[in-house]
């Protein structure tokens, strides 16, 4: 798929995380040995950060952002809805395909991913590109429909 590329923000349409936002880490257009359909590896937010207001202290904001719970999974490209937003987070370092096979290593991957998401959430103003800043703010907002 030419539309679904690495860094693209997508909405999951099917499964446990239906209605959640995720970022594409890697795509497999022709499929692989075990999955013979085009699919992609996505990393997303299963439970988002809690609401923050301007009057809250910095300590309270950090505490409310720690409630984020990430997920990582392979998903069929027909089960994701690409958005116009792009995010430039370094998930390739946090998500290694070899670690996703073992259950214990997958937990470590999720912990690293949580740290990446929290850092980006707390430092959204440090994004250089205006387009990527819009994608970052959209990614962390709750989906309204």
């Amino acid at each position: 798929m030419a539309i679904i590329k690495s860094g693209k923000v997508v909405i999951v349409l099917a499964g446990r995380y239906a209605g959640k936002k995720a970022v594409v880490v890697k795509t497999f257009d022709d499929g692989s040995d075990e999955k013979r359909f085009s699919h992609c590896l996505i990393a997303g937010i299963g439970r988002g950060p809690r609401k923050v207001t301007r009057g809250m202290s910095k300590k309270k904001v950090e505490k409310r952002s720690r409630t984020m719970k990430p997920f990582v999974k392979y998903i069929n490209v027909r089960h994701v809805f690409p958005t116009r937003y792009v995010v430039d987070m370094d998930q390739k370092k946090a998500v290694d395909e070899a670690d996703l096979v073992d259950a214990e290593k997958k937990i470590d991957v999720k912990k690293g991913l949580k740290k990446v998401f929290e850092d980006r959430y707390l430092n959204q103003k440090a994004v250089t590109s205006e387009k990527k800043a819009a994608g970052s703010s959209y990614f962390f907002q709750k989906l309204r429909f």
Side-chain angles (χ1 to χ4, degrees), residues 95-113:
V95 180
D96 187 31
E97 291 179 60
D99 292 341
L100 296 177
V101 178
D102 187 27
E104 291 178 9
K105 289 184 180 178
K106 193 171 182 180
I107 293 170
D108 294 335
V109 169
K110 286 182 184 178
K111 285 179 183 175
L113 201 57

Side-chain angles (χ1 to χ4, degrees), residues 14-15 42 44 54 72 79 85 89 103 121 125:
I42 58 171
R54 196 178 304 152
V72 180
H79 298 160
Y85 297 102
M89 287 188 255
Y121 178 70
K125 292 174 180 63

Side-chain angles (χ1 to χ4, degrees), residues 3-115:
I3 297 168
I4 300 177
K5 294 178 182 167
S6 182
K8 177 74 89 171
V9 178
V10 296
I11 298 170
V12 181
L13 299 175
R16 178 180 179 182
Y17 298 106
K20 303 294 182 190
K21 293 179 190 170
V23 180
V24 176
V25 178
K26 189 175 180 183
T27 57
F28 303 91
D29 292 331
D30 300 326
S32 62
D33 293 339
E34 57 267 0
K35 294 180 176 75
R36 295 207 173 128
F37 48 87
S38 55
H39 59 282
C40 54
L41 176 63
I42 58 171
I45 299 177
R47 182 176 61 229
R50 296 183 68 193
K51 187 178 177 184
V52 175
T53 59
R54 196 178 304 152
M56 291 182 186
S57 66
K58 199 169 189 178
K59 184 179 177 184
K60 189 163 189 173
V61 170
E62 285 184 26
K63 187 176 181 183
R64 290 176 84 81
S65 70
R66 272 191 244 123
T67 62
M68 238 183 287
K69 186 177 181 183
F71 67 89
V72 180
K73 69 183 296 185
Y74 290 100
I75 192 163
N76 191 332
V77 292
R78 293 179 181 207
H79 298 160
V80 293
F81 182 78
T83 63
R84 63 182 177 172
Y85 297 102
V86 180
V87 179
D88 64 337
M89 287 188 255
D90 52 344
Q91 303 103 346
K92 295 222 178 200
K93 294 177 190 170
V95 180
D96 187 31
E97 291 179 60
D99 292 341
L100 296 177
V101 178
D102 187 27
E104 291 178 9
K105 289 184 180 178
K106 193 171 182 180
I107 293 170
D108 294 335
V109 169
K110 286 182 184 178
K111 285 179 183 175
L113 201 57
K114 181 177 180 178
K115 195 166 203 66

Side-chain angles (χ1 to χ4, degrees), residues 9 85-89 120-121 123-125 127 130-141:
V9 178
Y85 297 102
V86 180
V87 179
D88 64 337
M89 287 188 255
R120 174 47 60 89
Y121 178 70
N123 300 319
Q124 286 185 46
K125 292 174 180 63
V127 180
E130 189 175 313
K131 185 178 180 183
K132 293 195 169 135
S136 177
S137 65
Y138 173 76
F139 180 65
F140 291 111
Q141 284 176 359

